[in-house]
């Protein structure tokens, strides 16, 4: 006890004030600025500093902090080491207020929890706030914090249930961070009406200080919070104060802007006679955090790395799905839609000429390209829309890469009468214009995403940020077997309909036997996991996944062969393989096919790779085009560019396995959507 954080809250209390907790992104706007800015924060009147660790994929942040992250990373602050050095330098300059490191878990995890805490302690940091590391996933960091006497500060949201609030307050050691609205960070004009209620709810479970943040932008708002909590967190307003200065401002000018905005805002911290919800205790011995949620795992992969705001939504989906997944009425309903709306079962077709051309194993095609809307995505979209209806959500959001998932979602929303918003990277909107038009025609709103690389990953971040904001009436209809538990399982189950069909169809055509190999392309991995899963116990059936190797895996940032080149990490809610730097920052990716252009992969594939159950290989853009042409010219089927990766892989596998063997390719989708892009590659003006 008696650490810097406790003293900060104690002395604010003695002055009759709330503690002012000031946020800044490390390395923003430039890496030389940060130590002086930290000093300026102290001089302006900050009691506690939150130092944001830049990350490529901040899912719960608004435009201001997201942009600050990108500027900092671009300016060379992308590793933990230099961020700690900034704290150390500020300590040497005379910084005495506590510094808490705030960020997303992957950079911290990649650094190693023990090393992180040892070095943070040594640099003069006091603790951590990790947005996407709920207690169930954060045991290792918590252990290291306890070992080195650092504080691990839990986040609470208005959506947190009383039960969750009770368990999170038990885990705190110094203060708790209460997010004042359901939503992303960003300056707002007034305090939310239900804030007082929320703080009261938390106060009834703990005597520790409560700091309230998100959106506070004026001394009046500061004062409003000061009279109902122990600390006031301000972030975006401080970053905004530097934005007016222009690129050639000096460090001293930037520090002065920060000092002055804090000095202005801090005039609001003085409390009235009897402020509400005040802490009566300044610290408690840190408790052991709860155990990992085992049911969300595929080996060491999977999990639920989510912001606290979403925890109840995830509980709700898990419960609803557990309830309906075995319900005969629900399954009958799904089956009816598969037949009457999607047009299933889709045929299993022997590719005679392609087989002859390969001169090896017999190639079979599961014609998912004949499904309504032209790809397998519709199976998952129908299943999840039915699930959303069950839990009473009338607004559907989705992300899309090639646009196929967006079209499938727009289609089912039209059919079920649900509102539909689709996030799509601006680059993808351009290369898949036709699908944007299809979505609009179906009544969906397409939102082009201008952040980051402006492709699928960025669209997922935006969809997640929307969900964090609108979780009460919105379902996020995720398009692949990725993301936090239970999405990888839900999507797999809805896509397994085809693997099951294939098994029956293949047996009927081959005297009850099973094929020797299954081949599917892997983006997030939904069509592949739907293919593989129903055969997982049939050990004689080999699994092959084709990943997009773009221009070649030897070229950094020019491919998206996650399982071939990536390393284990956490991306967008799950532990899986990630194409990342050692620092845990996600790398850019590239593929001819927008639907595969993703730096992560479903966690169950990560597990299959590690256990050796499946083999994953990279297929380059040029090879995929070869596969595309073969399928067009030898089978009369125009496949999607995604599927073309699997075709190339299957063709060469057929040669290798030789005659007498049988391969099934999952024809995940048709190529209509890709025709303008392919014409362009061929130099044809259509
Ligand atoms: C979206 C898409 C894919 C890739 O997504 P997965 O989740 O890996 O299946 C593959 N093929 C087609 C046709 C697609 O539209
Ligand atoms: C093929 O793709 C569909 C759609 O994703 C999937 O449900 C199915 O299981 C896949 N596998 C096979 C063998 O058809």
């Amino acid at each position: 006890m008696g650490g810097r954080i406790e003293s900060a809250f104690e002395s604010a209390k003695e002055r009759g004030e709330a503690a002012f907790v000031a946020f800044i992104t490390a390395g923003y706007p430039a890496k030389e600025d940060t130590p002086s800015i930290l000093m300026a924060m102290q001089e302006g009147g900050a009691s506690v500093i939150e130092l944001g660790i830049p990350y490529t994929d901040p899912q719960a942040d608004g435009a201001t902090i997201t942009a600050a992250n990108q500027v900092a990373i671009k300016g060379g602050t992308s590793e933990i080491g230099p961020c700690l050095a900034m704290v150390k330098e500020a300590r040497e300059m005379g910084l005495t207020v506590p510094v808490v490191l705030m960020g997303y878990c992957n950079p911290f995890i990649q650094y190693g929890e023990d090393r992180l805490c040892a070095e943070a302690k040594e640099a003069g940091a006091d603790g951590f706030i990790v947005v996407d590391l709920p207690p169930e996933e954060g045991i290792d960091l918590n252990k290291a914090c306890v070992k080195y006497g650092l504080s691990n500060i839990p986040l609470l949201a208005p959506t947190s249930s009383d039960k969750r609030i009770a368990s999170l307050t038990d885990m705190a050691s110094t203060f708790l961070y209460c997010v004042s609205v359901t939503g992303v960070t960003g300056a707002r004009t007034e305090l939310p009406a239900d804030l007082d209620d929320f703080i009261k709810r938390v106060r009834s479970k703990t005597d520790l200080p409560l700091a309230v943040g998100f959106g506070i932008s004026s001394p009046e708002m500061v004062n409003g919070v000061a009279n109902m909590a122990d600390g006031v967190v301000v972030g975006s307003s401080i970053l905004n104060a530097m934005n007016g200065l222009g690129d050639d401002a000096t460090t001293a000018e930037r520090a002065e802007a920060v000092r002055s905005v804090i000095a202005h805002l801090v005039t609001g911290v003085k409390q009235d006679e009897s402020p509400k919800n005040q802490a009566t205790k300044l610290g408690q011995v840190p408790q052991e955090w709860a155990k990992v949620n085992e049911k969300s795992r595929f080996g060491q992969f999977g999990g639920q790395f989510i912001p606290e705001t979403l925890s109840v939504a995830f509980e709700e989906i898990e419960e609803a799905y557990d309830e309906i997944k075995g319900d005969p009425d629900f399954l009958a309903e799904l089956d009816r839609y598969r037949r009457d709306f999607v047009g299933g079962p889709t045929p299993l077709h022997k590719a005679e000429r392609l087989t002859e051309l390969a001169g090896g194993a017999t190639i079979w095609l599961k014609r998912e390209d004949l499904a309504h809307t032209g790809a397998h995505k519709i199976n998952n979209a129908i299943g999840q829309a039915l699930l959303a209806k069950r839990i009473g959500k009338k607004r559907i959001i989705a992300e899309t890469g090639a646009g196929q998932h967006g079209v499938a979602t727009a289609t089912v929303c039209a059919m079920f009468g649900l509102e539909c918003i689709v996030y799509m990277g601006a680059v993808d909107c351009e290369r898949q214009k036709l699908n944007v038009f299809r979505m609009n025609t179906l009544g969906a709103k397409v939102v082009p995403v201008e952040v980051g690389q402006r492709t699928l990953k960025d669209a997922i971040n935006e969809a997640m940020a929307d969900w964090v904001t609108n979780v009460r009436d919105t379902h996020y209809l995720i398009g692949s077997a990725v993301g936090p538990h239970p999405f990888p399982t839900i999507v797999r189950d809805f896509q397994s309909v085809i693997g099951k069909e294939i098994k029956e169809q293949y047996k009927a055509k081959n005297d009850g036997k099973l094929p020797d190999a299954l081949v599917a392309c892997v983006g997030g991995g939904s069509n592949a996991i739907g293919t593989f899963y129903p055969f997982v116990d049939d050990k004689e059936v080999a699994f092959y996944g084709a990943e997009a190797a773009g221009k070649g895996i030897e070229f950094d940032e020019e491919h998206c062969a996650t399982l071939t080149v990536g390393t284990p990490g956490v991306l967008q809610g799950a532990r899986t393989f990630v194409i990342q730097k050692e620092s845990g920052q996600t790398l850019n990716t590239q593929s001819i096919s927008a639907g595969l252009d993703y730096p992560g992969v479903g966690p169950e594939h990560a597990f299959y790779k590690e256990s050796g159950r499946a083999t994953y290989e990279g297929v380059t853009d040029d090879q995929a085009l070869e596969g595309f042409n073969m399928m067009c010219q030898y089978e009369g089927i125009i496949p999607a560019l995604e599927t073309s990766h699997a075709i190339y892989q299957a063709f060469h596998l057929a040669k290798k396995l030789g005659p007498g063997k049988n391969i099934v390719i999952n024809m995940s989708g048709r190529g209509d959507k890709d025709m303008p892009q392919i014409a362009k590659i061929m130099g044809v003006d259509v």
Side-chain angles (χ1 to χ4, degrees):
M1 297 284 146
R4 273 189 286 252
I5 298 178
E6 286 95 330
S7 318
F9 279 95
E10 187 173 20
S11 57
K13 198 180 165 82
E14 279 165 5
R15 296 192 301 270
E17 293 176 355
F20 191 93
V21 183
F23 174 89
I24 186 81
T25 303
Y28 180 80
K31 50 181 188 249
E32 317 71 73
D33 296 336
T34 304
S36 302
I37 289 176
L38 297 179
M39 283 303 292
M41 294 173 114
Q42 173 170 292
E43 286 157 16
S47 301
V48 179
I49 293 174
E50 266 180 31
L51 184 63
I53 306 300
Y55 179 49
T56 39
D57 296 280
Q59 297 197 310
D61 278 297
T64 305
I65 294 181
T66 299
N69 273 284
Q70 292 190 344
V71 170
I73 290 170
K74 220 168 165 191
T77 305
S78 61
E79 291 171 31
I80 303 281
C83 295
L84 294 177
M86 292 169 188
V87 177
K88 192 167 184 175
E89 191 179 334
R91 289 276 178 239
E92 283 158 8
M93 290 164 78
L95 190 76
T96 56
V97 299
V99 176
V100 175
L101 306 177
M102 180 159 195
Y104 291 80
C105 67
N106 200 42
F108 293 141
I109 291 174
Q110 296 301 327
Y111 204 71
E113 285 87 349
D114 195 87
R115 174 184 172 208
L116 172 73
C117 289
E119 292 181 18
K121 180 80 183 176
E122 144 76 19
D126 299 277
F128 299 92
I129 302 178
V130 190
V131 180
D132 58 348
L133 198 64
E136 296 81 357
E137 304 290 357
I139 300 171
D140 292 341
L141 179 62
N142 193 57
K143 256 198 203 122
C145 279
V146 172
K147 176 170 165 192
Y148 292 97
L150 297 171
S151 182
N152 194 354
I153 295 145
L155 286 135
L156 297 169
T159 48
S160 303
S161 63
D162 287 339
K163 187 165 148 240
R164 247 192 109 75
I165 290 176
S167 69
L168 288 164
T169 50
D170 274 352
M171 291 162 197
S173 55
T174 51
F175 74 103
L176 294 102
Y177 189 132
C178 303
V179 174
S180 71
V181 284
T182 330
V184 295
T185 52
R188 291 177 171 75
T189 50
E190 56 185 61
L191 294 178
D194 57 359
L195 183 58
D196 191 31
D197 257 13
F198 166 46
I199 304 303
K200 252 196 222 122
R201 263 196 324 125
V202 181
R203 175 53 73 219
S204 72
K205 305 277 193 251
T206 180
D207 300 324
L208 290 176
L210 307 179
V212 177
F214 278 26
I216 294 161
S217 65
S218 68
E220 293 71 34
M221 285 171 83
V222 169
N223 191 246
V225 173
N227 281 311
M228 60 172 97
D230 309 278
V232 187
V233 187
V234 178
S236 298
S237 300
I238 297 174
L239 295 173
N240 285 337
M242 284 186 288
N243 291 349
L245 294 177
D247 291 344
D248 45 8
T250 62
T251 295
E253 285 164 344
R254 287 168 179 161
E256 174 50 28
V258 168
R259 193 203 58 76
S260 118
V261 70
I262 291 179
H264 172 62
L265 290 169
V266 93
T267 55
V269 294
K270 193 83 202 153
Q271 295 170 322
D272 298 343
E273 247 348 75
S274 45
K276 289 186 273 189
N277 311 320
Q278 296 300 295
T280 52
K281 164 164 123 180
L282 290 166
Q284 67 186 18
V285 179
Q287 303 291 306
E288 280 252 329
W289 285 26
K291 273 238 212 37
V292 174
N293 182 359
E294 296 292 347
K295 72 180 192 288
S296 67
R297 304 275 146 172
F298 306 101
Q300 62 150 314
F301 300 104
Q304 209 172 53
F305 297 80
I306 52 171
E308 176 57 27
T309 311
L310 294 178
S311 67
V312 168
F314 273 91
E315 255 170 46
E316 190 178 71
I317 291 172
E318 271 183 85
E319 264 168 35
Y321 185 64
D322 275 347
E323 222 169 82
I324 62 170
K325 72 179 177 202
D327 175 357
D329 290 345
F330 179 72
L331 296 175
E333 202 175 5
L334 266 183
D335 187 54
R336 186 162 57 78
Y337 283 110
R338 172 78 183 157
R339 281 164 204 282
D340 300 348
F341 191 68
V342 175
T346 53
L348 180 69
H349 165 75
K350 194 194 268 183
E352 307 265 4
R353 291 194 66 220
L354 202 60
T355 298
E356 202 181 297
L357 182 72
T362 305
I363 300 174
W364 300 78
L365 310 177
K366 173 64 173 169
R367 298 294 310 280
E368 232 9 52
D369 56 313
L370 294 176
H372 180 42
T373 71
H376 63 284
K377 302 273 186 348
I378 190 84
N379 300 320
N380 170 49
I382 291 177
Q384 282 199 54
L386 288 172
L387 185 61
K389 280 179 59 158
R390 285 258 176 148
I391 52 183
K393 307 270 164 107
K394 294 203 160 52
R395 180 175 178 270
I396 301 290
I397 56 170
E399 85 297 337
T400 196
Q404 289 303 95
H405 175 58
V407 168
T409 305
T411 299
V412 304
C413 286
M415 175 177 64
F416 289 131
L418 300 164
E419 184 187 352
C420 180
I421 291 115
V422 180
Y423 290 92
M424 186 168 185
V427 168
D428 293 335
C429 287
E430 187 51 38
R431 51 180 171 177
Q432 302 286 348
K433 269 188 212 155
L434 204 55
N435 271 343
V436 174
F437 184 63
R438 286 166 88 192
M439 286 182 264
N440 288 331
T441 308
L442 290 160
K445 183 175 158 216
V446 179
V447 182
V449 174
E450 299 285 357
V451 183
Q453 204 190 346
R454 299 181 293 153
T455 57
L456 180 58
K457 168 179 71 95
D458 312 293
I460 294 179
N461 289 337
E462 284 296 298
M464 214 34 111
D466 177 319
W467 203 25
V468 170
T469 311
N470 299 302
V471 59
R472 288 183 166 115
D473 70 344
T474 299
H475 176 68
Y476 178 15
L477 204 160
I478 203 160
S480 190
V482 299
H485 174 78
F487 281 122
T489 305
I490 292 180
V491 176
R492 175 199 73 200
D493 290 353
F494 288 145
Q495 291 296 9
S496 291
V497 59
I498 319 280
K500 289 180 200 146
E501 282 178 14
I502 253 204
K503 214 171 194 175
E504 267 173 39
Q505 292 169 317
Y506 188 90
K507 280 180 166 176
K509 289 178 195 237
N510 295 279
D511 306 322
K513 291 212 273 293
L514 293 177
D516 300 287
L518 301 170
V519 182
C521 60
V522 179
S526 71
N527 91 86
I529 204 70
T531 307
F532 300 163
Y533 186 68
F535 292 86
V536 73
D537 294 327
D538 303 313
K539 293 287 186 290
E540 69 276 27
V541 182
F543 300 164
Y544 289 86
E547 298 196 291
K551 298 207 167 57
I553 54 170
E554 62 278 28
F555 303 112
D556 275 356
E557 314 214 319
E558 297 283 0
H559 65 79
C560 44
T562 310
L563 290 159
T564 314
V565 185
T567 51
V570 173
L571 179 67
Q572 297 181 322
R575 180 186 284 277
T576 183
F577 277 74
V578 182
I579 301 181
Q580 60 184 335
K581 294 195 187 155
E582 233 174 274
S583 60
Q585 307 291 352
T586 317
L587 281 163
N588 288 337
T589 53
Q590 175 72 48
S591 166
I592 190 173
S593 142
L596 302 180
D597 197 349
Y598 182 61
V601 65
E604 201 162 3
H605 287 294
F607 175 58
Y608 284 2
K609 177 196 157 88
E610 213 182 44
S611 63
R613 181 64 185 92
T615 305
Y616 300 90
E617 291 169 350
V619 173
T620 64
D621 289 351
D622 290 344
Q623 292 170 334
L625 282 171
E626 234 179 88
F628 174 88
N629 283 323
M630 278 190 292
M631 189 57 74
C632 293
Q633 288 161 19
Y634 285 83
E635 292 297 333
I637 298 170
I638 299 180
L641 278 174
E642 291 80 6
T643 318
S644 302
H645 289 77
I647 296 164
Y648 179 89
Q649 191 189 26
F651 184 79
H652 289 274
L653 182 64
K655 287 190 172 183
K656 205 165 91 189
L657 292 183
K661 301 285 184 181
N662 288 276
I663 300 175
V664 181
I665 308 180
N666 205 9
M667 295 290 288
S668 56
R670 69 178 83 128
D672 308 25
K673 68 178 171 67
D674 297 317
M675 294 318 278
Q677 191 190 351
I678 290 167
K680 207 164 145 195
I681 292 169
M682 292 176 171
V684 179
D685 202 11
V686 252

